[in-house]
Amino acid sequence: MRIVLFGPPGAGKGTQASLLTQKYKAAHISTGDALREAVANKTEVGLKAKSYMDKGELVPDEVVIAIAKDKLASVGDAGFILDGFPRTIAQAKALDVALADLNKPLEAVINLQVDDEELVRRLSGRRVCPGCKEPYHVESKPTQAEGVCDKCSTALIHRDDDQPDAIRNRLKVYNEQTSPVLGYYESKGILKNIAAVGGIDDIFNKVAEVLG
Ligand code: AP5
């Protein structure tokens, strides 16, 4: 499996990637998770990325392209699920070059479609495990014990960019800078649109059906 999970902030990319990884044994590559790890470790990349991420802006292309290439090179023969990358046409073109070098062309771009009102509801109620990165939601996907990850027992966090101002800006940035990437993949004939409303398992079944 060699796919991109595409969609606006809060569409469920991380949630579906976690399920797909279990079923298909592919590597989950999330540029958002990689950047948050760099911020937590106060690396040079992390220090540069933090101010962009807190405001909901995109981190500069050269930084995320380098991260994605590194991660792709490290998966070896395994398949991959890209989550949150690419987000600009420049990133999409750089990905094509990197995958051609690895002789691993993309098979599909799965676009999770959700309206803005539902995205705001999902992001405002999200809690995330900083350990294993599993996403939860206070209403639609609560943990068994309050505030603690079901998988690894780490205390959950509320992301800084899941505050109202940052959420609004992330949606604006998505519409202006990221949604044009859909046309790029549509013209290549590998774009698959999925109405990502309803239960998490129902959406997973739709994605699995499209992937065959
Ligand atoms: P990133 O971490 O990639 O954030 P994002 O794209 O905004 O996506 P999210 O993680 O917010 O949402 P998601 O679609 O994964 O949804 P989730 O499954 O968690 O990036 C963060 C920042 O890093 C960016 O703003 C940018 O600054 C930077 N960055 C990252 N990549 C970059 C790049 N390529 N270029 C430049 N900058 C980059 O679900 C959301 C919530 O909804 C959860 O609570 C979940 O439990 C719940 N939920 C999921 N599915 C359902 C459902 N069906 N019904 C009800 N609730 C649901």
Side-chain angles (χ1 to χ4, degrees):
M1 161 177 292
R2 300 187 298 273
I3 65 165
V4 169
L5 272 183
F6 201 92
K13 303 181 293 294
T15 301
Q16 294 300 324
S18 169
L19 296 171
L20 287 165
T21 306
Q22 288 164 38
K23 181 172 164 100
Y24 294 98
K25 313 286 176 231
H28 176 195
I29 299 177
S30 158
T31 41
D33 283 347
L35 287 165
R36 277 184 290 279
E37 205 170 302
V39 170
N41 292 332
K42 297 192 167 62
T43 65
E44 199 180 319
V45 164
L47 295 173
K48 190 169 177 186
K50 188 174 186 323
S51 60
Y52 294 95
M53 296 173 76
D54 285 350
K55 285 182 280 189
E57 298 288 336
L58 294 186
V59 173
D61 282 339
E62 67 272 15
V63 174
V64 278
I65 289 169
I67 291 176
K69 280 167 83 172
D70 259 15
K71 298 272 177 195
L72 282 165
S74 71
V75 304
D77 290 337
F80 57 80
I81 299 162
L82 280 163
D83 160 6
F85 182 91
R87 273 170 137 105
T88 61
I89 301 279
Q91 292 178 22
K93 289 183 174 167
L95 176 62
D96 280 347
V97 173
L99 293 179
D101 287 348
L102 295 167
N103 199 20
K104 287 181 166 183
L106 270 185
E107 292 166 338
V109 174
I110 306 288
N111 178 33
L112 302 176
Q113 297 174 307
V114 181
D115 67 43
D116 279 9
E117 198 184 321
E118 173 66 5
L119 293 173
V120 171
R121 194 194 71 77
R122 289 186 189 180
L123 291 172
S124 346
R126 173 167 58 184
R127 301 293 182 271
V128 187
C129 174
C132 71
K133 321 294 183 206
E134 187 70 14
Y136 295 91
H137 191 276
V138 289
E139 288 163 5
S140 53
K141 191 183 165 192
T143 47
Q144 281 157 17
E146 203 184 326
V148 177
C149 178
D150 291 347
K151 289 189 167 173
C152 68
S153 304
T154 305
L156 304 185
I157 56 158
H158 191 177
R159 272 170 48 174
D160 289 343
D161 61 351
D162 280 347
Q163 308 301 333
D165 281 354
I167 291 176
R168 267 192 294 279
N169 197 39
R170 285 160 69 199
L171 294 176
K172 182 167 170 276
V173 166
Y174 173 81
N175 289 326
E176 290 174 0
Q177 298 179 49
T178 301
S179 62
V181 177
L182 289 169
Y184 180 82
Y185 287 121
E186 191 161 29
S187 68
K188 288 179 177 285
I190 55 170
L191 182 68
K192 316 277 180 196
N193 291 311
I194 291 191
V197 283
I200 290 170
D201 289 340
D202 296 336
I203 296 164
F204 177 67
N205 290 337
K206 286 192 214 173
V207 175
E209 197 179 313
V210 162
L211 294 173

